[in-house]
Amino acid sequence: MAKRTGEKHHDIIDAAVKTFARTGYHRTRVADIAREAGVADGTVYIYFKNKEDILVSLFQDLMIRFVEDLYSELVQCQDANEKLKKIINYHLTTLAGKPDQAKVTQIELRQIDQAINEGISRPLKRYFELIEEVINEGIQQGLYRKDLDTKTARKVVFGGIDEVVTCWVMSNKQYDLTALSEPVFELLVRGLR
Amino acid sequence: MAKRTGEKHHDIIDAAVKTFARTGYHRTRVADIAREAGVADGTVYIYFKNKEDILVSLFQDLMIRFVEDLYSELVQCQDANEKLKKIINYHLTTLAGKPDQAKVTQIELRQIDQAINEGISRPLKRYFELIEEVINEGIQQGLYRKDLDTKTARKVVFGGIDEVVTCWVMSNKQYDLTALSEPVFELLVRGLR
Amino acid sequence: MAKRTGEKHHDIIDAAVKTFARTGYHRTRVADIAREAGVADGTVYIYFKNKEDILVSLFQDLMIRFVEDLYSELVQCQDANEKLKKIINYHLTTLAGKPDQAKVTQIELRQIDQAINEGISRPLKRYFELIEEVINEGIQQGLYRKDLDTKTARKVVFGGIDEVVTCWVMSNKQYDLTALSEPVFELLVRGLR
Amino acid sequence: MAKRTGEKHHDIIDAAVKTFARTGYHRTRVADIAREAGVADGTVYIYFKNKEDILVSLFQDLMIRFVEDLYSELVQCQDANEKLKKIINYHLTTLAGKPDQAKVTQIELRQIDQAINEGISRPLKRYFELIEEVINEGIQQGLYRKDLDTKTARKVVFGGIDEVVTCWVMSNKQYDLTALSEPVFELLVRGLR
DNA sequence: CATGAATGAGCGTTCATTCAT
DNA sequence: AATGAATGAACGCTCATTCAT
């Protein structure tokens, strides 16, 4: 009855996403996650350093896959505009399809002592770089203004998308997030031009 | 040496801003705030319902004043463009000048159970409305696209500004936030046109 | 608009009886009593040493008056039997007519550190003596057994009556306590014979 | 050196009896019980819902065993008189041999919000029923008056015994409680005849 | 690897009491 | 005498983490 290695690790991550989304990070007890995952409390500590590590790992897993997948989609795009459109669309579509993840990413994740968290900022930074690369590409391609401050532009782009998602999560997902892809793109691409 | 009424309330708010900014909301003990404010632990509970109420009240105070002051500046502006510029500038300048408040607003405040928090969302909503009004005005004035989705535009505008501030706070305020006012405005106003 | 001296003292005692009966001694805050009495918190401490002192004083007041009044009734009785009947009847009638007092006497009063409480035991002791005197008188009058252990008899007599009252209070006073006067008397007087 | 399951539960009950008897329920800190039991504070909460639950559980344990044991003794008795004698004797003997339990039962237990306490009244009710059954049996056997109000008789019987124990506890157990078995029986049985 | 009983540090909150006015 | 704002000691309870099995 051997279980595949890593199966429990995955069970715990899954359970954590569900539980954090339902109850919130601080209100979730490690014991709750363990029960949801069908393992003993102690088992959680075989796979994770501590409670915070679960949240961070969970985010890393999601983010790394997200960026990888997004990247492999971007290479198929012709120019920066198409890429920006893809980014926005992929970002919104992904979270629209995974409400629990969206909740955790937008709300619960921000309940950690940011200052310390390497673990969160590193994968996020990779996403930021991706956006910046696209912006730079757009400048090179003559699609966007030459005098654009890439870093600031990236912040506005990411901040804009992020806020749209946050509002959707806080509204209890009562409308179609994906439908906002187009208008958000229009707003941002014009900003860059 | 009688103290003015309300002075303690103010002392506690002040102490809380300082302490939350320094230590983070969850790591701050009510006793820490009390000591910093120079009052007894119990005194805190004369003025606030509980620890969370301190954070919420604090934000309400700041936000209500912020929106009021901003509003009185806006009425002096000629058109939507000028108003948008004022909003961005006022937002960045205000927080650039009050690093502790910025820290609390951008980071600590987001550590609360959003679901519950009427107290936070109401004053924020007023700010959102202000932004939306400006966007609508711009449409009316023919400055911005007619087909603009005001709500989505507002989210991108606010999200963009907010992310710029958050990045500045997380960078430990190592650069001049106010200087970003102009590029952020350019990005957003073009997006709206 | 001068108030008679002692008026507030009385107001507080009254408020305490009501509040203790409604909420229970431990759950009652001194501030509750003060509000009910229409005085400031601090005023309570002008008239009473502390919270416990209110309960004790209250009981002393009641008990001393109870014993005095009972005594003056007893002198009019012919023999021990009549006196015993009077004691039982008076005890039950008094408490039946003052449900709040009954609640406090039977339930709340017993929540105090008995060991220490002089204040409670002294007035109670006087009541015990009264009962013992009647029993002794009954023995002298040949109404009760000569070999009766007066102290033990007193305990059984008082305990019997007391339990009847307690049961009535705990039943939320759903039946006529006074009606039990006769059967209780029958049980106790036969026990003494 | 594995401990038997349930051993800690028992340790805590034991520690609680000792500590409540020595210090009184309200003055006892949960930490005191834990220390006395040789367990951590948190361990107490694995076995008991809260502090009050310790007191209630403790009483239930004692009372249920008391009633069971008493019951098995009663079935060996010939008639109601013998049974009544057994009840009184068993009641006094049991408590005389366990002064800590007596203290807790007679004094500390009465410091709880009666209103709520199902937990206390249920096992007590079983004892009351036992007494009532004996009284009824006595009536059937022609030993006691036919016109006896069983419920009232039970209250007087229980109240009488209870008061005798309370007085003994409050006197710091300076005399032999068991010796009162005979006179109390005489008083009560005559009352029933 | 897995378990889950046990741990004990940690803290928010209450409220009886005081005292300057 | 009266006030009521302020005090601060006191403690029940939680829960992340450990470790013997």
Side-chain angles (χ1 to χ4, degrees):
Chain A
M1 281 285 255
K3 295 212 168 194
R4 285 197 319 284
T5 298
E7 192 165 323
K8 273 188 207 299
H9 183 279
H10 187 254
D11 290 350
I12 293 167
I13 290 271
D14 262 19
V17 173
K18 245 183 261 182
T19 322
F20 287 155
R22 194 194 315 131
T23 329
Y25 175 73
H26 278 108
R27 273 215 278 270
T28 294
R29 276 160 277 151
V30 172
D32 295 336
I33 301 174
R35 196 187 316 110
E36 178 82 36
V39 302
D41 293 13
T43 307
V44 172
Y45 287 86
I46 296 173
Y47 293 94
F48 300 91
K49 214 168 86 258
N50 51 37
K51 185 181 168 185
E52 195 178 282
D53 186 38
I54 304 174
L55 183 51
V56 172
S57 298
L58 177 166
F59 177 68
Q60 287 181 324
D61 280 13
L62 296 178
M63 205 59 204
I64 289 172
R65 197 165 344 133
F66 175 81
V67 173
E68 274 175 8
D69 292 354
L70 173 58
Y71 184 78
S72 67
E73 298 251 2
L74 289 186
V75 292
Q76 300 166 27
C77 296
Q78 306 295 342
D79 62 13
N81 279 345
E82 232 176 90
K83 285 183 179 177
L84 182 64
K85 184 172 245 165
K86 175 62 78 185
I87 287 174
I88 295 166
N89 192 59
Y90 196 77
H91 191 143
L92 297 186
T93 312
T94 302
L95 293 179
K98 301 172 182 173
D100 280 353
Q101 282 184 20
K103 177 84 187 302
V104 172
T105 307
Q106 302 304 120
I107 310 292
E108 304 311 329
L109 198 70
R110 323 220 162 173
Q111 311 210 1
I112 298 204
D113 294 288
Q114 247 89 352
I116 313 175
N117 265 294
E118 262 298 273
I120 286 175
S121 47
R122 207 202 304 277
L124 205 51
K125 197 169 288 177
R126 184 68 201 99
Y127 186 30
F128 290 166
E129 286 165 7
L130 217 61
I131 299 176
E132 289 177 31
E133 283 163 20
V134 170
I135 294 172
N136 279 329
E137 196 181 324
I139 297 174
Q140 237 113 68
Q141 294 170 344
L143 295 169
Y144 306 148
R145 275 176 283 146
K146 267 191 287 293
D147 63 335
L148 219 47
D149 172 2
T150 316
K151 274 207 141 45
T152 302
R154 178 266 293 170
K155 290 170 195 171
V156 171
V157 168
F158 175 80
I161 304 172
D162 189 60
E163 176 71 9
V164 165
V165 178
T166 298
C167 288
W168 173 74
V169 170
M170 306 268 301
S171 81
N172 287 311
K173 304 131 205 164
Q174 307 210 341
Y175 50 88
D176 179 19
L177 180 60
T178 323
L180 298 184
S181 194
E182 187 59 29
V184 170
F185 170 70
E186 273 310 316
L187 280 157
L188 293 177
V189 78
R190 284 162 187 258
L192 298 172
R193 277 187 201 135
Chain B
M1 208 76 115
K3 295 214 165 197
R4 289 197 312 282
T5 297
E7 193 165 325
K8 277 191 205 304
H9 183 278
H10 187 255
D11 290 351
I12 294 168
I13 290 271
D14 261 18
V17 173
K18 246 183 260 181
T19 322
F20 287 156
R22 191 193 319 131
T23 330
Y25 175 73
H26 278 107
R27 272 213 274 274
T28 294
R29 277 162 277 144
V30 173
D32 295 337
I33 300 173
R35 196 185 316 110
E36 177 80 37
V39 301
D41 292 14
T43 306
V44 172
Y45 289 86
I46 297 176
Y47 294 95
F48 300 92
K49 221 168 81 259
N50 52 36
K51 185 181 167 184
E52 194 179 285
D53 187 38
I54 304 174
L55 183 51
V56 172
S57 299
L58 178 166
F59 176 68
Q60 287 183 324
D61 281 11
L62 297 179
M63 203 62 203
I64 289 172
R65 196 165 346 134
F66 174 81
V67 172
E68 274 175 8
D69 292 353
L70 173 59
Y71 183 80
S72 67
E73 298 254 359
L74 289 185
V75 292
Q76 299 167 27
C77 298
Q78 307 294 342
D79 62 13
N81 280 343
E82 231 177 272
K83 286 185 178 177
L84 182 65
K85 184 173 244 164
K86 174 64 78 185
I87 287 175
I88 295 166
N89 192 58
Y90 196 78
H91 189 142
L92 298 185
T93 311
T94 302
L95 293 180
K98 302 171 181 172
D100 280 353
Q101 282 185 20
K103 176 86 189 302
V104 172
T105 309
Q106 300 303 120
I107 310 292
E108 304 312 328
L109 199 71
R110 323 222 161 170
Q111 310 207 5
I112 297 204
D113 294 289
Q114 247 85 356
I116 313 175
N117 268 296
E118 261 298 275
I120 286 177
S121 47
R122 205 200 304 275
L124 205 51
K125 198 170 287 176
R126 185 67 200 101
Y127 186 30
F128 291 165
E129 286 166 7
L130 218 61
I131 299 176
E132 289 176 31
E133 284 162 20
V134 171
I135 294 171
N136 280 327
E137 194 180 327
I139 296 174
Q140 236 112 71
Q141 294 170 343
L143 294 170
Y144 307 148
R145 276 176 282 146
K146 267 192 285 293
D147 63 334
L148 220 46
D149 173 2
T150 314
K151 273 207 144 44
T152 303
R154 177 267 291 170
K155 289 170 195 171
V156 171
V157 168
F158 175 81
I161 304 171
D162 190 60
E163 176 73 8
V164 165
V165 177
T166 298
C167 287
W168 174 73
V169 169
M170 307 266 304
S171 81
N172 286 311
K173 305 131 203 165
Q174 306 208 339
Y175 50 88
D176 179 18
L177 180 59
T178 323
L180 298 184
S181 195
E182 186 59 31
V184 170
F185 170 69
E186 272 311 315
L187 280 158
L188 294 176
V189 78
R190 285 162 188 257
L192 298 171
R193 279 189 198 130
Chain C
M1 280 284 252
K3 295 213 167 193
R4 287 198 315 284
T5 296
E7 191 165 325
K8 276 189 206 295
H9 183 278
H10 187 253
D11 289 350
I12 294 167
I13 290 270
D14 260 19
V17 172
K18 245 184 260 182
T19 321
F20 288 155
R22 192 194 317 130
T23 329
Y25 175 72
H26 278 106
R27 275 213 278 270
T28 294
R29 275 159 279 152
V30 172
D32 295 336
I33 300 174
R35 194 186 319 110
E36 177 81 37
V39 301
D41 294 13
T43 307
V44 172
Y45 288 85
I46 297 173
Y47 294 95
F48 300 92
K49 213 166 86 256
N50 51 36
K51 185 180 169 185
E52 195 178 281
D53 186 39
I54 304 174
L55 183 51
V56 171
S57 298
L58 177 165
F59 177 68
Q60 285 180 326
D61 280 12
L62 297 179
M63 204 60 203
I64 289 171
R65 196 167 345 134
F66 175 81
V67 172
E68 274 174 8
D69 292 354
L70 173 58
Y71 184 79
S72 69
E73 297 254 359
L74 288 186
V75 293
Q76 299 166 27
C77 297
Q78 306 296 341
D79 61 13
N81 279 346
E82 232 176 272
K83 286 184 177 177
L84 181 64
K85 185 173 244 165
K86 174 63 75 185
I87 287 174
I88 295 166
N89 192 57
Y90 196 78
H91 189 144
L92 297 186
T93 311
T94 301
L95 293 179
K98 302 171 180 174
D100 280 353
Q101 282 184 20
K103 177 85 187 303
V104 173
T105 310
Q106 301 302 121
I107 310 292
E108 305 311 328
L109 198 71
R110 323 221 161 172
Q111 310 208 4
I112 298 203
D113 294 287
Q114 248 88 354
I116 313 175
N117 266 296
E118 263 295 275
I120 287 176
S121 46
R122 205 201 307 275
L124 204 52
K125 198 170 287 177
R126 184 67 200 101
Y127 185 28
F128 290 165
E129 285 166 6
L130 217 63
I131 299 176
E132 288 177 31
E133 284 162 21
V134 170
I135 294 171
N136 279 327
E137 193 180 327
I139 297 173
Q140 236 112 70
Q141 293 170 344
L143 294 169
Y144 307 148
R145 276 176 284 144
K146 265 190 290 295
D147 63 335
L148 219 46
D149 171 4
T150 314
K151 273 208 145 42
T152 303
R154 177 267 293 170
K155 291 169 195 172
V156 170
V157 167
F158 175 80
I161 304 172
D162 188 61
E163 175 73 9
V164 165
V165 177
T166 297
C167 288
W168 173 74
V169 170
M170 307 267 302
S171 82
N172 287 312
K173 303 130 204 165
Q174 308 210 337
Y175 49 88
D176 179 17
L177 181 60
T178 324
L180 298 184
S181 195
E182 186 59 31
V184 170
F185 171 70
E186 271 313 313
L187 279 158
L188 293 176
V189 78
R190 284 164 189 256
L192 298 172
R193 273 185 204 138
Chain D
M1 210 76 114
K3 294 213 164 195
R4 286 194 316 281
T5 298
E7 193 166 324
K8 275 192 205 307
H9 183 277
H10 187 255
D11 289 352
I12 294 167
I13 290 272
D14 261 18
V17 172
K18 246 183 261 182
T19 322
F20 287 155
R22 192 193 318 130
T23 329
Y25 175 73
H26 278 106
R27 272 214 276 273
T28 294
R29 277 162 279 145
V30 173
D32 295 337
I33 300 174
R35 195 183 318 110
E36 178 81 38
V39 301
D41 292 15
T43 306
V44 172
Y45 290 87
I46 298 176
Y47 294 96
F48 301 92
K49 220 166 82 258
N50 50 37
K51 187 181 167 185
E52 193 179 284
D53 187 38
I54 303 174
L55 183 52
V56 172
S57 298
L58 177 166
F59 176 68
Q60 286 182 324
D61 280 13
L62 297 179
M63 203 62 201
I64 289 172
R65 195 162 349 131
F66 175 81
V67 173
E68 273 174 9
D69 292 353
L70 173 58
Y71 184 80
S72 67
E73 297 253 1
L74 289 186
V75 293
Q76 298 166 28
C77 297
Q78 306 295 341
D79 62 14
N81 279 344
E82 231 176 275
K83 286 183 178 178
L84 182 64
K85 183 173 247 165
K86 174 63 77 183
I87 287 174
I88 296 166
N89 193 58
Y90 197 78
H91 190 143
L92 298 186
T93 310
T94 301
L95 293 180
K98 302 170 180 173
D100 281 353
Q101 282 186 19
K103 177 85 189 302
V104 172
T105 308
Q106 300 304 120
I107 311 293
E108 304 310 329
L109 199 70
R110 323 220 162 171
Q111 311 209 4
I112 299 203
D113 294 289
Q114 248 86 355
I116 315 173
N117 268 297
E118 262 296 275
I120 287 176
S121 48
R122 205 201 304 276
L124 205 51
K125 198 170 287 177
R126 184 66 200 103
Y127 185 30
F128 290 165
E129 285 166 6
L130 216 63
I131 298 176
E132 289 178 30
E133 283 163 21
V134 170
I135 295 172
N136 279 328
E137 195 181 325
I139 297 174
Q140 236 112 69
Q141 292 170 345
L143 295 169
Y144 307 148
R145 276 176 285 146
K146 267 192 286 293
D147 63 336
L148 219 46
D149 173 2
T150 314
K151 272 207 145 42
T152 302
R154 178 266 292 169
K155 290 170 194 171
V156 171
V157 167
F158 175 80
I161 304 172
D162 190 59
E163 176 72 9
V164 165
V165 177
T166 297
C167 288
W168 173 74
V169 169
M170 307 267 302
S171 81
N172 287 311
K173 305 129 202 167
Q174 308 210 337
Y175 49 89
D176 179 19
L177 179 60
T178 324
L180 298 184
S181 194
E182 187 58 31
V184 171
F185 170 70
E186 272 311 315
L187 278 157
L188 293 176
V189 78
R190 283 163 190 257
L192 299 171
R193 277 189 201 131

